[in-house]
Amino acid sequence: MIKSLTAGLVRWARINRASARASLHTLVQYRSDLLASLFASILSAATALIGILVVALNTESLNGWNSAGLILPLGVHYIIGGVVGCSLAPSLGETVELIRDGSFDYIVVQPIDAQFYSGARVFRADAVAGVVTGVVLILAVASRLDITPASAAMFLVTLVAASLCVAGWQYSVAGLAFTLIRVDALFIAFDQLYEQAGRWPVNVFPSYLRGILTLIFPILLCVSAPAASLSATGTMVPRGAVVALLCTAVGFLALSRLIWKCGLRRYVGGAN
């Protein structure tokens, strides 16, 4: 199993490297688009940061999150958004269209797992700006946090788990395209909720919203658990949140696999 997983990761890296090379060639040809994308990323980060600073500068603590701690979820928000936006999100967006118009046959006949390849076909180099923005935000407040080697390691683990959780959710929704005609609304709803709610800690929301934004759309847990784990105190989010995040990531990945297997059996192709 480990051998096959390693082979899959190597194959994924090769596909993304080829896609990244093609994307970079395109960006070089259209430099103005690249500059516009970078400017939009900077403007978006600045706008979000202003909103959070207004709250942070006028209160000492918000449900256990101090002013520096409130910047952490925003940084995690941009890192995860950038990681998913580099390849997975644009690839699955195109895949849904291919399934809808019957052109998915091209993916099925490839000598690689169809689900895996569907999420790694496209690479957007400009989305890396989101990752850079998130790292800069976290480094900017790192000196004000009680960070230890253990908390830094936990942050990396939960960040990977959060990215896999979002990936599993998006794979699951994309797999529903084999059965449902329109799944775009779910992607749009996720993007909108992630943009607005994903910048804030989980425990600043009322309980009913926490359930919706954790169980149906795994947004708050994916952002808050990594942000809270970076603090050595670990009091901003319950310790069980880390375990819940890991279980949720495994659950969504397993669900996505089941949905894709069932969907591929039902897919008849555009020629039929």
Side-chain angles (χ1 to χ4, degrees):
M1 180 178 179
I2 297 178
K3 186 176 181 180
S4 61
L5 179 60
T6 303
L9 291 175
V10 171
R11 194 179 299 116
W12 175 84
R14 290 176 178 173
I15 293 173
N16 272 273
R17 183 175 61 184
S19 300
R21 190 182 300 115
S23 178
L24 287 174
H25 285 316
T26 302
L27 288 175
V28 169
Q29 294 175 2
Y30 301 96
R31 295 181 181 87
S32 59
D33 289 345
L34 175 60
L35 294 176
S37 298
L38 293 176
F39 177 75
S41 297
I42 295 174
L43 185 62
S44 174
T47 303
L49 187 59
I50 290 173
I52 290 179
L53 285 178
V54 168
V55 176
L57 294 177
N58 287 279
T59 181
E60 294 183 0
S61 176
L62 184 63
N63 282 8
W65 296 77
N66 56 27
S67 57
L70 287 174
I71 306 298
L72 288 177
L74 182 62
V76 174
H77 168 273
Y78 277 104
I79 291 176
I80 295 177
V83 169
V84 174
C86 284
S87 180
L88 183 66
S91 297
L92 291 180
E94 288 193 4
T95 298
V96 169
E97 292 297 327
L98 293 177
I99 297 173
R100 184 181 300 155
D101 61 24
S103 304
F104 190 69
D105 302 35
Y106 170 76
I107 306 297
V108 175
V109 298
Q110 297 298 317
I112 188 173
D113 183 78
Q115 178 185 352
F116 175 81
Y117 185 48
S118 296
R121 296 174 55 249
V122 181
F123 187 89
R124 288 184 52 194
D126 57 315
V128 178
V131 180
V132 176
T133 301
V135 172
V136 170
L137 289 174
I138 291 175
L139 291 178
V141 298
S143 60
R144 300 175 57 187
L145 300 171
D146 187 15
I147 300 177
T148 64
S151 63
M154 182 60 67
F155 170 74
L156 294 177
V157 170
T158 53
L159 188 63
V160 171
S163 300
L164 291 176
C165 185
V166 174
W169 189 91
Q170 295 212 349
Y171 266 124
S172 299
V173 173
L176 293 176
F178 290 108
T179 305
L180 304 178
I181 298 177
R182 306 288 297 185
V183 296
D184 309 73
L186 290 174
F187 281 116
I188 295 174
F190 181 87
D191 290 340
Q192 293 295 325
L193 289 171
Y194 187 79
E195 275 300 311
Q196 301 302 322
R199 302 172 178 179
W200 298 93
V202 60
N203 49 356
V204 304
F205 294 92
S207 57
Y208 69 93
L209 278 181
R210 294 181 200 176
I212 295 174
L213 297 176
T214 301
L215 300 176
I216 301 177
F217 299 95
I219 295 174
L220 296 183
L221 188 63
C222 291
V223 172
S224 295
S229 66
L230 194 58
S231 171
T233 59
T235 58
M236 293 182 288
V237 168
R239 296 180 182 275
V242 176
V243 177
L245 176 59
L246 295 174
C247 294
T248 304
V250 173
F252 272 117
L253 289 173
L255 177 64
S256 71
R257 193 61 179 171
L258 177 62
I259 291 175
W260 272 79
K261 282 189 173 182
C262 294
L264 287 172
R265 292 195 192 102
R266 299 184 57 173
Y267 181 71
V268 295
N272 294 300

